[in-house]
Amino acid sequence: MLPRLSRRDWVLTMGAGFGSALSSGLACAAPPAPPAKAPRLGSEQEQLLANCRGALATAARIIDGAELVRIGEWCQQQGVTADVYGSGELVESLEKKVAALLGYPAACFMPTGTMAQLILLRLHAEKSRSRAVGLHPSSHHILHEDAAFELLDGLYGVVLSPWMRTILGNDVKQAHQKEPLAVVSVELPVRYTGQLQTWDELESLKAACKEADIPLHVDGARLWECAPAYGRPLAEICRGFASVYVSLYKTIGALGGAIVAGPSPLIANARVWRHRFGGNVFGFFPYAASAAMRIDDTLARIPTWVTRARKLAARLAKDPRFIVTPTPPPTNLFHIYVRGERAALNAKRDQIARERRIWVTHGFGPARVPGYCDAELQLGAQSDAVSDDEAFQSVTALVA
């Protein structure tokens, strides 16, 4: 059997350095610590961020009263009224829109992506005798949900690939031969490496899951950005997946919320579990409105952000002080590795924010190689106010 990795196992693994190979034969070295999250409200860094005119990281905006006014004005202009427990034209039309974009007959609004994915993993596993979930070692389910899929759904994770590689079809085949998998969750793209399967690799992964009768779920927190990489519409990319989750705030820029899409019976059941998980709030409309007012414009601008990110990554890759991965980035997200101490690099980031009013990154974390740190860059709406030269100069100023 493949190792059943609890949250405690992962804490020990990441802390002590897990260099042994898994029984599947896939080496899984200890991952670096995840990049630092955005500072909390009220911190010095949050105030710096609020004063910046642009950012090279998404989800970098401050929600203030002016944002609520914009949402209210849009609702009045569109004649939008509040929903009641998700029932209403605004929420339902947004669900239909996203379902159509992703190529599914049904979709459901969820208050959080964590809840959304817990529900879908649970529903897929209910159809299997297994409780094993095939995952990438950097999966959100493992790193950022406090063991929720174990404690709430009674599932456990099986690592399918090494940290520095995406999940492939052969990974699923090898793992499933040793221990049946109830469901596989794949993140497109992988946040902590910026990697994305090629189209052939993605189709092979779908085929492997179909052959083994394993539902393939997509953690699509950043799925919107994948279309330029594949040169295909989102509905074609999603064809063959059992279910998909997409975020409404990470790139779309909404106040919050998520949407899950899939076959009608699955999504109808997901609505029931939304209630059981305590997520059927009285009104979703502020969140849904903030997504509905942005989604068309954002999706139209993503190709430009991807192009700009590739240009910036290429320029930085020529500087010997930086290691850039992946090169070229398939989406608008990539990572930079630089020599230095985390505290000093974050302090330099703050200095750049004060002097140039450009927020370079949410934070540096220690890389696997001693003496190096890792930072995530992702160009989105907040980068529009920053020219290509300003972006390059602001990043290189980190190591000036």
Side-chain angles (χ1 to χ4, degrees):
M1 293 179 64
L2 293 173
R4 301 185 180 189
L5 302 178
S6 67
R7 178 171 177 79
R8 177 179 178 276
D9 293 329
W10 274 104
V11 171
L12 292 175
T13 291
M14 294 173 70
F18 183 42
S20 62
L22 296 177
S23 59
S24 64
L26 298 174
C28 184
K37 292 184 177 180
R40 294 182 179 180
L41 288 173
S43 70
E44 178 185 354
Q45 285 72 30
E46 191 97 323
Q47 293 302 315
L48 286 173
L49 176 56
N51 292 327
C52 283
R53 58 186 173 87
L56 308 181
T58 57
R61 60 197 176 80
I62 301 297
I63 302 299
D64 55 16
E67 173 67 10
L68 297 179
V69 170
R70 285 190 290 270
I71 294 171
E73 290 176 344
W74 183 86
C75 288
Q76 291 179 333
Q77 292 169 1
Q78 301 296 319
V80 168
T81 56
D83 63 288
V84 178
Y85 294 114
S87 296
E89 174 62 24
L90 173 62
V91 175
E92 292 173 7
S93 63
L94 180 62
E95 290 172 339
K96 291 176 181 177
K97 183 184 191 70
V98 173
L101 284 169
L102 302 180
Y104 291 95
C108 176
F109 190 98
M110 294 281 178
T112 71
T114 297
M115 177 185 290
Q117 299 204 90
L118 284 174
I119 289 172
L120 290 178
L121 293 184
R122 182 188 192 99
L123 292 177
H124 287 311
E126 283 181 352
K127 299 181 180 180
S128 171
R129 295 182 180 180
S130 172
R131 308 302 291 174
V133 183
L135 298 168
H136 190 274
S138 71
S139 170
H140 193 276
H141 307 301
I142 293 173
L143 297 182
H144 299 302
E145 297 177 9
D146 291 322
F149 74 108
E150 298 176 16
L151 299 176
L152 298 181
D153 290 341
L155 307 174
Y156 61 89
V158 172
V159 173
L160 299 181
S161 70
W163 179 275
M164 290 304 295
R165 177 169 66 68
T166 59
I167 296 174
L168 303 177
N170 284 336
D171 298 330
V172 173
K173 292 178 181 178
Q174 292 177 27
H176 193 62
Q177 288 173 356
K178 298 185 178 183
E179 181 172 10
L181 299 173
V183 58
V184 170
S185 178
V186 59
E187 184 183 20
L188 301 180
V190 179
R191 177 188 179 183
Y192 288 129
T193 66
Q195 294 173 323
L196 184 67
Q197 290 88 345
T198 66
W199 181 252
D200 288 343
E201 289 172 342
L202 188 63
E203 290 295 282
S204 177
L205 176 60
K206 293 177 183 178
C209 288
K210 182 179 181 180
E211 181 180 352
D213 196 24
I214 305 170
L216 180 57
H217 165 72
V218 178
D219 176 344
R222 296 160 185 82
L223 178 66
W224 307 113
E225 295 96 306
C226 293
Y230 291 127
R232 290 171 166 83
L234 290 165
E236 185 175 351
I237 296 170
C238 293
R239 189 176 302 143
F241 292 125
S243 58
V244 177
Y245 138 74
V246 289
S247 173
L248 294 176
Y249 77 87
K250 288 185 173 67
T251 296
I252 300 301
L255 289 175
I259 285 184
V260 294
S264 296
L266 176 71
I267 299 305
N269 212 355
R271 290 185 188 279
V272 175
W273 277 99
R274 181 180 70 181
H275 190 189
R276 289 169 177 164
F277 269 67
N280 206 30
V281 298
F282 182 62
F284 292 117
F285 83 98
Y287 299 93
S290 64
M293 63 189 276
R294 288 182 167 89
I295 188 167
D296 288 334
D297 178 62
T298 299
L299 295 183
R301 294 160 69 190
I302 284 175
T304 299
W305 299 334
V306 172
T307 298
R308 292 193 67 203
R310 290 172 179 170
K311 289 180 179 179
L312 177 59
R315 291 181 71 178
L316 292 172
K318 295 178 181 179
D319 189 323
R321 297 172 296 178
F322 293 93
I323 297 173
V324 179
T325 182
T327 306
T331 69
N332 57 333
L333 181 150
F334 64 93
H335 288 255
I336 56 171
Y337 294 83
V338 296
R339 186 183 293 275
E341 296 182 357
R342 178 180 183 179
L345 288 166
N346 284 331
K348 192 69 173 179
R349 182 269 320 270
D350 295 350
Q351 179 184 346
I352 295 167
R354 292 188 193 95
E355 296 176 354
R356 306 183 185 216
R357 296 180 58 219
I358 296 174
W359 188 255
V360 177
T361 180
H362 289 316
F364 283 87
R368 215 179 308 188
V369 177
Y372 279 81
C373 287
D374 165 31
E376 173 187 294
L377 276 65
Q378 185 174 17
L379 274 63
Q382 295 81 17
S383 70
D384 289 347
V386 182
S387 71
D388 290 347
D389 285 340
E390 286 178 322
F392 177 72
Q393 292 162 6
S394 295
V395 178
T396 55
L398 291 167
V399 293

PDB file of all heavy atoms in Angstrom, residues 278-309:
ATOM      1  N   GLY A 278     -22.763  24.407   6.431  1.00  0.00           N
ATOM      2  CA  GLY A 278     -22.996  25.734   6.996  1.00  0.00           C
ATOM      3  C   GLY A 278     -22.687  26.861   6.047  1.00  0.00           C
ATOM      4  O   GLY A 278     -22.486  28.008   6.477  1.00  0.00           O
ATOM      5  N   GLY A 279     -22.662  26.571   4.741  1.00  0.00           N
ATOM      6  CA  GLY A 279     -22.290  27.577   3.770  1.00  0.00           C
ATOM      7  C   GLY A 279     -23.448  28.218   3.043  1.00  0.00           C
ATOM      8  O   GLY A 279     -23.234  29.032   2.144  1.00  0.00           O
ATOM      9  N   ASN A 280     -24.676  27.888   3.417  1.00  0.00           N
ATOM     10  CA  ASN A 280     -25.829  28.438   2.712  1.00  0.00           C
ATOM     11  C   ASN A 280     -26.242  29.750   3.373  1.00  0.00           C
ATOM     12  O   ASN A 280     -27.281  29.855   4.012  1.00  0.00           O
ATOM     13  CB  ASN A 280     -26.990  27.439   2.732  1.00  0.00           C
ATOM     14  CG  ASN A 280     -27.930  27.620   1.561  1.00  0.00           C
ATOM     15  OD1 ASN A 280     -27.517  28.044   0.492  1.00  0.00           O
ATOM     16  ND2 ASN A 280     -29.198  27.311   1.759  1.00  0.00           N
ATOM     17  N   VAL A 281     -25.405  30.773   3.195  1.00  0.00           N
ATOM     18  CA  VAL A 281     -25.651  32.048   3.865  1.00  0.00           C
ATOM     19  C   VAL A 281     -26.892  32.730   3.281  1.00  0.00           C
ATOM     20  O   VAL A 281     -27.323  32.432   2.161  1.00  0.00           O
ATOM     21  CB  VAL A 281     -24.423  32.974   3.748  1.00  0.00           C
ATOM     22  CG1 VAL A 281     -23.217  32.336   4.424  1.00  0.00           C
ATOM     23  CG2 VAL A 281     -24.109  33.296   2.304  1.00  0.00           C
ATOM     24  N   PHE A 282     -27.452  33.654   4.049  1.00  0.00           N
ATOM     25  CA  PHE A 282     -28.727  34.273   3.671  1.00  0.00           C
ATOM     26  C   PHE A 282     -28.650  34.999   2.336  1.00  0.00           C
ATOM     27  O   PHE A 282     -29.595  34.975   1.553  1.00  0.00           O
ATOM     28  CB  PHE A 282     -29.175  35.232   4.770  1.00  0.00           C
ATOM     29  CG  PHE A 282     -30.510  35.873   4.487  1.00  0.00           C
ATOM     30  CD1 PHE A 282     -31.659  35.113   4.360  1.00  0.00           C
ATOM     31  CD2 PHE A 282     -30.614  37.244   4.339  1.00  0.00           C
ATOM     32  CE1 PHE A 282     -32.886  35.702   4.093  1.00  0.00           C
ATOM     33  CE2 PHE A 282     -31.824  37.842   4.066  1.00  0.00           C
ATOM     34  CZ  PHE A 282     -32.974  37.065   3.948  1.00  0.00           C
ATOM     35  N   GLY A 283     -27.507  35.641   2.069  1.00  0.00           N
ATOM     36  CA  GLY A 283     -27.365  36.345   0.796  1.00  0.00           C
ATOM     37  C   GLY A 283     -25.934  36.314   0.294  1.00  0.00           C
ATOM     38  O   GLY A 283     -25.011  36.690   1.022  1.00  0.00           O
ATOM     39  N   PHE A 284     -25.752  35.871  -0.947  1.00  0.00           N
ATOM     40  CA  PHE A 284     -24.432  35.857  -1.575  1.00  0.00           C
ATOM     41  C   PHE A 284     -24.192  37.104  -2.425  1.00  0.00           C
ATOM     42  O   PHE A 284     -23.109  37.274  -2.970  1.00  0.00           O
ATOM     43  CB  PHE A 284     -24.293  34.635  -2.499  1.00  0.00           C
ATOM     44  CG  PHE A 284     -24.260  33.313  -1.795  1.00  0.00           C
ATOM     45  CD1 PHE A 284     -25.256  32.364  -2.003  1.00  0.00           C
ATOM     46  CD2 PHE A 284     -23.228  32.988  -0.933  1.00  0.00           C
ATOM     47  CE1 PHE A 284     -25.224  31.140  -1.371  1.00  0.00           C
ATOM     48  CE2 PHE A 284     -23.173  31.764  -0.296  1.00  0.00           C
ATOM     49  CZ  PHE A 284     -24.181  30.832  -0.507  1.00  0.00           C
ATOM     50  N   PHE A 285     -25.202  37.976  -2.557  1.00  0.00           N
ATOM     51  CA  PHE A 285     -25.169  38.960  -3.633  1.00  0.00           C
ATOM     52  C   PHE A 285     -23.993  39.933  -3.602  1.00  0.00           C
ATOM     53  O   PHE A 285     -23.498  40.307  -4.669  1.00  0.00           O
ATOM     54  CB  PHE A 285     -26.510  39.719  -3.711  1.00  0.00           C
ATOM     55  CG  PHE A 285     -26.657  40.870  -2.761  1.00  0.00           C
ATOM     56  CD1 PHE A 285     -26.424  42.171  -3.192  1.00  0.00           C
ATOM     57  CD2 PHE A 285     -27.050  40.657  -1.448  1.00  0.00           C
ATOM     58  CE1 PHE A 285     -26.580  43.237  -2.322  1.00  0.00           C
ATOM     59  CE2 PHE A 285     -27.203  41.721  -0.576  1.00  0.00           C
ATOM     60  CZ  PHE A 285     -26.960  43.007  -1.003  1.00  0.00           C
ATOM     61  N   PRO A 286     -23.452  40.373  -2.444  1.00  0.00           N
ATOM     62  CA  PRO A 286     -22.295  41.281  -2.553  1.00  0.00           C
ATOM     63  C   PRO A 286     -21.105  40.594  -3.228  1.00  0.00           C
ATOM     64  O   PRO A 286     -20.407  41.208  -4.042  1.00  0.00           O
ATOM     65  CB  PRO A 286     -21.983  41.632  -1.093  1.00  0.00           C
ATOM     66  CG  PRO A 286     -23.246  41.348  -0.348  1.00  0.00           C
ATOM     67  CD  PRO A 286     -23.849  40.173  -1.041  1.00  0.00           C
ATOM     68  N   TYR A 287     -20.893  39.328  -2.900  1.00  0.00           N
ATOM     69  CA  TYR A 287     -19.780  38.579  -3.493  1.00  0.00           C
ATOM     70  C   TYR A 287     -20.061  38.265  -4.961  1.00  0.00           C
ATOM     71  O   TYR A 287     -19.197  38.412  -5.829  1.00  0.00           O
ATOM     72  CB  TYR A 287     -19.561  37.279  -2.717  1.00  0.00           C
ATOM     73  CG  TYR A 287     -19.215  37.497  -1.273  1.00  0.00           C
ATOM     74  CD1 TYR A 287     -20.200  37.506  -0.284  1.00  0.00           C
ATOM     75  CD2 TYR A 287     -17.900  37.714  -0.887  1.00  0.00           C
ATOM     76  CE1 TYR A 287     -19.885  37.727   1.038  1.00  0.00           C
ATOM     77  CE2 TYR A 287     -17.564  37.937   0.443  1.00  0.00           C
ATOM     78  CZ  TYR A 287     -18.566  37.944   1.405  1.00  0.00           C
ATOM     79  OH  TYR A 287     -18.240  38.168   2.712  1.00  0.00           O
ATOM     80  N   ALA A 288     -21.273  37.807  -5.233  1.00  0.00           N
ATOM     81  CA  ALA A 288     -21.629  37.467  -6.609  1.00  0.00           C
ATOM     82  C   ALA A 288     -21.601  38.698  -7.507  1.00  0.00           C
ATOM     83  O   ALA A 288     -21.153  38.636  -8.656  1.00  0.00           O
ATOM     84  CB  ALA A 288     -23.017  36.820  -6.641  1.00  0.00           C
ATOM     85  N   ALA A 289     -22.067  39.831  -6.995  1.00  0.00           N
ATOM     86  CA  ALA A 289     -22.079  41.055  -7.799  1.00  0.00           C
ATOM     87  C   ALA A 289     -20.662  41.507  -8.113  1.00  0.00           C
ATOM     88  O   ALA A 289     -20.365  41.928  -9.241  1.00  0.00           O
ATOM     89  CB  ALA A 289     -22.839  42.157  -7.063  1.00  0.00           C
ATOM     90  N   SER A 290     -19.758  41.418  -7.126  1.00  0.00           N
ATOM     91  CA  SER A 290     -18.389  41.856  -7.362  1.00  0.00           C
ATOM     92  C   SER A 290     -17.688  40.972  -8.381  1.00  0.00           C
ATOM     93  O   SER A 290     -16.761  41.415  -9.070  1.00  0.00           O
ATOM     94  CB  SER A 290     -17.599  41.887  -6.050  1.00  0.00           C
ATOM     95  OG  SER A 290     -17.468  40.598  -5.492  1.00  0.00           O
ATOM     96  N   ALA A 291     -18.129  39.712  -8.510  1.00  0.00           N
ATOM     97  CA  ALA A 291     -17.586  38.828  -9.544  1.00  0.00           C
ATOM     98  C   ALA A 291     -18.246  39.098 -10.887  1.00  0.00           C
ATOM     99  O   ALA A 291     -17.568  39.202 -11.925  1.00  0.00           O
ATOM    100  CB  ALA A 291     -17.788  37.369  -9.151  1.00  0.00           C
ATOM    101  N   ALA A 292     -19.565  39.226 -10.892  1.00  0.00           N
ATOM    102  CA  ALA A 292     -20.301  39.428 -12.142  1.00  0.00           C
ATOM    103  C   ALA A 292     -19.889  40.711 -12.844  1.00  0.00           C
ATOM    104  O   ALA A 292     -19.828  40.771 -14.080  1.00  0.00           O
ATOM    105  CB  ALA A 292     -21.804  39.441 -11.856  1.00  0.00           C
ATOM    106  N   MET A 293     -19.561  41.765 -12.085  1.00  0.00           N
ATOM    107  CA  MET A 293     -19.222  43.047 -12.686  1.00  0.00           C
ATOM    108  C   MET A 293     -17.817  43.055 -13.282  1.00  0.00           C
ATOM    109  O   MET A 293     -17.468  43.963 -14.021  1.00  0.00           O
ATOM    110  CB  MET A 293     -19.351  44.169 -11.649  1.00  0.00           C
ATOM    111  CG  MET A 293     -18.411  44.058 -10.474  1.00  0.00           C
ATOM    112  SD  MET A 293     -18.775  45.245  -9.142  1.00  0.00           S
ATOM    113  CE  MET A 293     -17.907  46.686  -9.741  1.00  0.00           C
ATOM    114  N   ARG A 294     -17.005  42.010 -12.979  1.00  0.00           N
ATOM    115  CA  ARG A 294     -15.624  41.982 -13.426  1.00  0.00           C
ATOM    116  C   ARG A 294     -15.289  40.861 -14.399  1.00  0.00           C
ATOM    117  O   ARG A 294     -14.305  40.949 -15.135  1.00  0.00           O
ATOM    118  CB  ARG A 294     -14.696  41.825 -12.217  1.00  0.00           C
ATOM    119  CG  ARG A 294     -14.562  43.021 -11.327  1.00  0.00           C
ATOM    120  CD  ARG A 294     -13.564  42.722 -10.204  1.00  0.00           C
ATOM    121  NE  ARG A 294     -13.174  43.936  -9.497  1.00  0.00           N
ATOM    122  CZ  ARG A 294     -13.818  44.418  -8.448  1.00  0.00           C
ATOM    123  NH1 ARG A 294     -14.866  43.772  -7.990  1.00  0.00           N
ATOM    124  NH2 ARG A 294     -13.407  45.530  -7.869  1.00  0.00           N
ATOM    125  N   ILE A 295     -16.028  39.788 -14.390  1.00  0.00           N
ATOM    126  CA  ILE A 295     -15.565  38.549 -15.006  1.00  0.00           C
ATOM    127  C   ILE A 295     -15.288  38.698 -16.501  1.00  0.00           C
ATOM    128  O   ILE A 295     -14.257  38.219 -17.001  1.00  0.00           O
ATOM    129  CB  ILE A 295     -16.548  37.387 -14.721  1.00  0.00           C
ATOM    130  CG1 ILE A 295     -15.935  36.059 -15.198  1.00  0.00           C
ATOM    131  CG2 ILE A 295     -17.926  37.645 -15.319  1.00  0.00           C
ATOM    132  CD1 ILE A 295     -16.682  34.840 -14.694  1.00  0.00           C
ATOM    133  N   ASP A 296     -16.155  39.354 -17.244  1.00  0.00           N
ATOM    134  CA  ASP A 296     -15.948  39.472 -18.692  1.00  0.00           C
ATOM    135  C   ASP A 296     -14.682  40.258 -19.012  1.00  0.00           C
ATOM    136  O   ASP A 296     -13.866  39.853 -19.849  1.00  0.00           O
ATOM    137  CB  ASP A 296     -17.159  40.132 -19.349  1.00  0.00           C
ATOM    138  CG  ASP A 296     -18.376  39.225 -19.388  1.00  0.00           C
ATOM    139  OD1 ASP A 296     -18.193  37.996 -19.373  1.00  0.00           O
ATOM    140  OD2 ASP A 296     -19.509  39.746 -19.420  1.00  0.00           O
ATOM    141  N   ASP A 297     -14.512  41.379 -18.337  1.00  0.00           N
ATOM    142  CA  ASP A 297     -13.339  42.216 -18.596  1.00  0.00           C
ATOM    143  C   ASP A 297     -12.062  41.492 -18.192  1.00  0.00           C
ATOM    144  O   ASP A 297     -11.058  41.541 -18.912  1.00  0.00           O
ATOM    145  CB  ASP A 297     -13.474  43.524 -17.816  1.00  0.00           C
ATOM    146  CG  ASP A 297     -12.261  44.430 -17.994  1.00  0.00           C
ATOM    147  OD1 ASP A 297     -11.996  44.842 -19.131  1.00  0.00           O
ATOM    148  OD2 ASP A 297     -11.580  44.705 -16.991  1.00  0.00           O
ATOM    149  N   THR A 298     -12.091  40.804 -17.063  1.00  0.00           N
ATOM    150  CA  THR A 298     -10.895  40.107 -16.590  1.00  0.00           C
ATOM    151  C   THR A 298     -10.483  39.000 -17.543  1.00  0.00           C
ATOM    152  O   THR A 298      -9.301  38.874 -17.894  1.00  0.00           O
ATOM    153  CB  THR A 298     -11.139  39.523 -15.193  1.00  0.00           C
ATOM    154  OG1 THR A 298     -11.436  40.585 -14.277  1.00  0.00           O
ATOM    155  CG2 THR A 298      -9.914  38.761 -14.700  1.00  0.00           C
ATOM    156  N   LEU A 299     -11.421  38.179 -17.962  1.00  0.00           N
ATOM    157  CA  LEU A 299     -11.090  37.077 -18.863  1.00  0.00           C
ATOM    158  C   LEU A 299     -10.516  37.602 -20.181  1.00  0.00           C
ATOM    159  O   LEU A 299      -9.631  36.968 -20.771  1.00  0.00           O
ATOM    160  CB  LEU A 299     -12.323  36.214 -19.119  1.00  0.00           C
ATOM    161  CG  LEU A 299     -12.878  35.457 -17.896  1.00  0.00           C
ATOM    162  CD1 LEU A 299     -14.049  34.581 -18.301  1.00  0.00           C
ATOM    163  CD2 LEU A 299     -11.805  34.625 -17.224  1.00  0.00           C
ATOM    164  N   ALA A 300     -10.998  38.746 -20.614  1.00  0.00           N
ATOM    165  CA  ALA A 300     -10.485  39.324 -21.864  1.00  0.00           C
ATOM    166  C   ALA A 300      -9.054  39.834 -21.705  1.00  0.00           C
ATOM    167  O   ALA A 300      -8.296  39.884 -22.678  1.00  0.00           O
ATOM    168  CB  ALA A 300     -11.399  40.462 -22.320  1.00  0.00           C
ATOM    169  N   ARG A 301      -8.661  40.210 -20.499  1.00  0.00           N
ATOM    170  CA  ARG A 301      -7.338  40.794 -20.266  1.00  0.00           C
ATOM    171  C   ARG A 301      -6.275  39.761 -19.884  1.00  0.00           C
ATOM    172  O   ARG A 301      -5.085  40.077 -19.917  1.00  0.00           O
ATOM    173  CB  ARG A 301      -7.447  41.856 -19.170  1.00  0.00           C
ATOM    174  CG  ARG A 301      -8.276  43.054 -19.602  1.00  0.00           C
ATOM    175  CD  ARG A 301      -8.777  43.844 -18.411  1.00  0.00           C
ATOM    176  NE  ARG A 301      -7.704  44.535 -17.712  1.00  0.00           N
ATOM    177  CZ  ARG A 301      -7.869  45.136 -16.530  1.00  0.00           C
ATOM    178  NH1 ARG A 301      -9.049  45.094 -15.938  1.00  0.00           N
ATOM    179  NH2 ARG A 301      -6.861  45.752 -15.953  1.00  0.00           N
ATOM    180  N   ILE A 302      -6.674  38.563 -19.524  1.00  0.00           N
ATOM    181  CA  ILE A 302      -5.715  37.555 -19.076  1.00  0.00           C
ATOM    182  C   ILE A 302      -4.618  37.281 -20.108  1.00  0.00           C
ATOM    183  O   ILE A 302      -3.432  37.189 -19.740  1.00  0.00           O
ATOM    184  CB  ILE A 302      -6.450  36.258 -18.667  1.00  0.00           C
ATOM    185  CG1 ILE A 302      -7.108  36.453 -17.301  1.00  0.00           C
ATOM    186  CG2 ILE A 302      -5.495  35.070 -18.636  1.00  0.00           C
ATOM    187  CD1 ILE A 302      -7.964  35.293 -16.842  1.00  0.00           C
ATOM    188  N   PRO A 303      -4.929  37.132 -21.402  1.00  0.00           N
ATOM    189  CA  PRO A 303      -3.840  36.900 -22.368  1.00  0.00           C
ATOM    190  C   PRO A 303      -2.756  37.972 -22.328  1.00  0.00           C
ATOM    191  O   PRO A 303      -1.565  37.663 -22.482  1.00  0.00           O
ATOM    192  CB  PRO A 303      -4.571  36.874 -23.711  1.00  0.00           C
ATOM    193  CG  PRO A 303      -5.954  36.420 -23.377  1.00  0.00           C
ATOM    194  CD  PRO A 303      -6.254  37.060 -22.056  1.00  0.00           C
ATOM    195  N   THR A 304      -3.135  39.224 -22.115  1.00  0.00           N
ATOM    196  CA  THR A 304      -2.145  40.298 -22.028  1.00  0.00           C
ATOM    197  C   THR A 304      -1.263  40.122 -20.797  1.00  0.00           C
ATOM    198  O   THR A 304      -0.043  40.318 -20.859  1.00  0.00           O
ATOM    199  CB  THR A 304      -2.845  41.668 -21.969  1.00  0.00           C
ATOM    200  OG1 THR A 304      -3.604  41.865 -23.163  1.00  0.00           O
ATOM    201  CG2 THR A 304      -1.828  42.795 -21.821  1.00  0.00           C
ATOM    202  N   TRP A 305      -1.865  39.740 -19.676  1.00  0.00           N
ATOM    203  CA  TRP A 305      -1.085  39.522 -18.456  1.00  0.00           C
ATOM    204  C   TRP A 305      -0.113  38.359 -18.621  1.00  0.00           C
ATOM    205  O   TRP A 305       1.008  38.416 -18.131  1.00  0.00           O
ATOM    206  CB  TRP A 305      -2.014  39.279 -17.279  1.00  0.00           C
ATOM    207  CG  TRP A 305      -2.930  40.431 -16.974  1.00  0.00           C
ATOM    208  CD1 TRP A 305      -2.710  41.752 -17.264  1.00  0.00           C
ATOM    209  CD2 TRP A 305      -4.210  40.370 -16.357  1.00  0.00           C
ATOM    210  NE1 TRP A 305      -3.765  42.511 -16.849  1.00  0.00           N
ATOM    211  CE2 TRP A 305      -4.710  41.698 -16.285  1.00  0.00           C
ATOM    212  CE3 TRP A 305      -4.997  39.341 -15.837  1.00  0.00           C
ATOM    213  CZ2 TRP A 305      -5.948  42.005 -15.724  1.00  0.00           C
ATOM    214  CZ3 TRP A 305      -6.225  39.638 -15.277  1.00  0.00           C
ATOM    215  CH2 TRP A 305      -6.697  40.954 -15.229  1.00  0.00           C
ATOM    216  N   VAL A 306      -0.554  37.308 -19.314  1.00  0.00           N
ATOM    217  CA  VAL A 306       0.332  36.170 -19.554  1.00  0.00           C
ATOM    218  C   VAL A 306       1.520  36.595 -20.413  1.00  0.00           C
ATOM    219  O   VAL A 306       2.674  36.250 -20.125  1.00  0.00           O
ATOM    220  CB  VAL A 306      -0.438  35.011 -20.222  1.00  0.00           C
ATOM    221  CG1 VAL A 306       0.515  33.895 -20.645  1.00  0.00           C
ATOM    222  CG2 VAL A 306      -1.503  34.458 -19.264  1.00  0.00           C
ATOM    223  N   THR A 307       1.251  37.364 -21.462  1.00  0.00           N
ATOM    224  CA  THR A 307       2.328  37.845 -22.332  1.00  0.00           C
ATOM    225  C   THR A 307       3.319  38.704 -21.558  1.00  0.00           C
ATOM    226  O   THR A 307       4.540  38.560 -21.698  1.00  0.00           O
ATOM    227  CB  THR A 307       1.739  38.648 -23.507  1.00  0.00           C
ATOM    228  OG1 THR A 307       0.896  37.801 -24.288  1.00  0.00           O
ATOM    229  CG2 THR A 307       2.852  39.200 -24.385  1.00  0.00           C
ATOM    230  N   ARG A 308       2.813  39.597 -20.720  1.00  0.00           N
ATOM    231  CA  ARG A 308       3.692  40.466 -19.930  1.00  0.00           C
ATOM    232  C   ARG A 308       4.520  39.656 -18.936  1.00  0.00           C
ATOM    233  O   ARG A 308       5.701  39.946 -18.712  1.00  0.00           O
ATOM    234  CB  ARG A 308       2.869  41.514 -19.185  1.00  0.00           C
ATOM    235  CG  ARG A 308       2.198  42.552 -20.089  1.00  0.00           C
ATOM    236  CD  ARG A 308       1.678  43.703 -19.243  1.00  0.00           C
ATOM    237  NE  ARG A 308       2.781  44.442 -18.645  1.00  0.00           N
ATOM    238  CZ  ARG A 308       2.664  45.199 -17.545  1.00  0.00           C
ATOM    239  NH1 ARG A 308       1.487  45.286 -16.919  1.00  0.00           N
ATOM    240  NH2 ARG A 308       3.697  45.845 -17.067  1.00  0.00           N
ATOM    241  N   ALA A 309       3.899  38.652 -18.326  1.00  0.00           N
ATOM    242  CA  ALA A 309       4.624  37.818 -17.366  1.00  0.00           C
ATOM    243  C   ALA A 309       5.761  37.063 -18.052  1.00  0.00           C
ATOM    244  O   ALA A 309       6.865  36.946 -17.504  1.00  0.00           O
ATOM    245  CB  ALA A 309       3.665  36.834 -16.689  1.00  0.00           C
TER     246      ALA A 309
END
